[in-house]
Amino acid sequence: MTYPTPKFLVALALLGGGLSLASAAPAESPAATAAATVCAGCHGADGNSVATTFPKLAGQQKKYLLKELKDYKNGKRVSEIMAPFMATLSEDDLAELAAYYAKQKPAPGVVGDPALLALGKALYLKGNSKTDVPSCDGCHDENGNGDGKFPRVAGQHVDYTLDQFRLYAAGRRTNGARVMQAVAERMSEQETRAVAEYMASMP
Ligand code: HEC
Ligand code: HEC
C-alpha cells in the first residue's frame, strides 16, 4: 500500500478549497461570464473600449447590438476577430449581452482634428446634394443616439468609424442597410474623416 505524499495532500487541499469557493459564488450566466472574461479584453468591462479600432458598445441601441451579434454568429457580418467568440454563445446569451451593453453609460469620444468639425457637422445634418450623400440625422438622430435598428454613432472612435466606411465602400459589410454602402462610396476621404470626427464629438 502506498501513502500519498505530503505535496499531493497540499495540492488536494488547495483544489478542494478552490472548488468550494467556486461553488459558493453566485452562478453566472454564460453571457455574464463571456462579458467579463472575453469581451472585456477588447470592448472594456463596461463597453467603453480603449483601443480605437474596437468599437464602443456602451449605450448602443439594444436592437442593433443583437442584430449585429446574430449576424457575426451566422456569418452575414464577416469579422475574423469577432466570429470565434460567437460560436459558444446561444441566441439567449447574445440577447443578454446586447441588453447589458445597451444599459452601460457611454464615455465621451475623442476628437483628433477639431478643424474638421464644422465640415463634419454640415455633412451630418445636411448631407452633400452635389454628390447625392443623404444627411445622417434622419436615421441616426440629430444627437447621434440612433434608434432601434439605427445604431448610436455619438462618441464612437474615429478609427473604428473609418474602418467601417472602408468596409462599406468596398462592399464588405453587406448585412445591413444598402444605404450605408452608397453613403460610403460617395463620400470623399476628407468628408468621411470629417463626419467621423463630428460623430466622435457628440456627447
Ligand atoms: C480580440 C478583440 C475582440 C473581442 C475579444 C471581442 N470583440 Fe467585439 N469587436 C471587435 C472588433 C475588431 C470589432 C469590429 C469588427 C468588424 O469590423 O466587423 C468588433 C465588433 C463588435 C460589435 C459590433 C459593434 C458595432 O458598433 O457594430 C459587437 C456588438 C461586439 N463586437 C460585441 C462583442 C462581444 C459581446 C464580445 C464577447 C463575447 C466581443 N465583441 C469580443 C473586437 C473584439
Ligand atoms: C436611411 C437611413 C440611414 C442614413 C441616411 C444613414 N445611415 Fe448610417 N446606418 C444606417 C443603418 C440601418 C445602419 C446599421 C448597420 C447597417 O445597416 O449596416 C447604419 C450604420 C452606420 C454606421 C456603422 C455603425 C457601427 O457601429 O458600426 C456608421 C458609422 C454610420 N451608419 C454613419 C452614417 C453617416 C455618417 C451617415 C450620413 C452621411 C449615415 N450613416 C446615413 C442607416 C442610415
Side-chain angles (χ1 to χ4, degrees), residues 117-128 133-146 151-154 187 194-196 198-199 202:
L117 289 178
L119 172 62
K121 183 176 183 179
L123 278 163
Y124 190 88
L125 297 175
K126 299 195 187 76
N128 183 343
V133 173
S135 72
C136 322
D137 59 341
C139 294
H140 294 283
D141 215 38
E142 196 180 330
N143 59 14
N145 198 44
R152 173 183 166 86
V153 290
M187 274 167 54
V195 86
Y198 179 64
M199 292 189 294
M202 285 193 265

Side-chain angles (χ1 to χ4, degrees), residues 119-178:
L119 172 62
K121 183 176 183 179
L123 278 163
Y124 190 88
L125 297 175
K126 299 195 187 76
N128 183 343
S129 56
K130 287 191 204 113
T131 49
D132 228 6
V133 173
S135 72
C136 322
D137 59 341
C139 294
H140 294 283
D141 215 38
E142 196 180 330
N143 59 14
N145 198 44
D147 186 14
K149 66 177 183 171
F150 300 113
R152 173 183 166 86
V153 290
Q156 187 56 274
H157 297 301
V158 170
D159 287 340
Y160 169 74
T161 300
L162 294 179
D163 281 349
Q164 296 309 304
F165 267 76
R166 275 182 221 114
L167 292 174
Y168 280 128
R172 287 171 59 206
R173 180 172 169 181
T174 53
N175 65 314
R178 291 199 82 116

Side-chain angles (χ1 to χ4, degrees), residues 7-55:
K7 206 170 161 193
F8 174 78
L9 283 175
V10 169
L12 199 68
L14 281 175
L15 191 70
L19 283 177
S20 60
L21 255 185
S23 50
E28 290 216 318
S29 68
T33 307
T37 60
V38 181
C39 324
C42 292
H43 294 289
D46 64 350
N48 284 299
S49 50
V50 176
T52 56
T53 54
F54 300 152

Side-chain angles (χ1 to χ4, degrees), residues 3 10 25 36 50 54 59 62 71 91 95 108 112 135 173 176 185 191 197:
Y3 293 94
V10 169
V50 176
F54 300 152
K62 186 170 83 177
D71 283 356
E91 285 215 0
S135 72
R173 180 172 169 181
E185 277 171 347
E191 284 179 322
E197 295 279 9

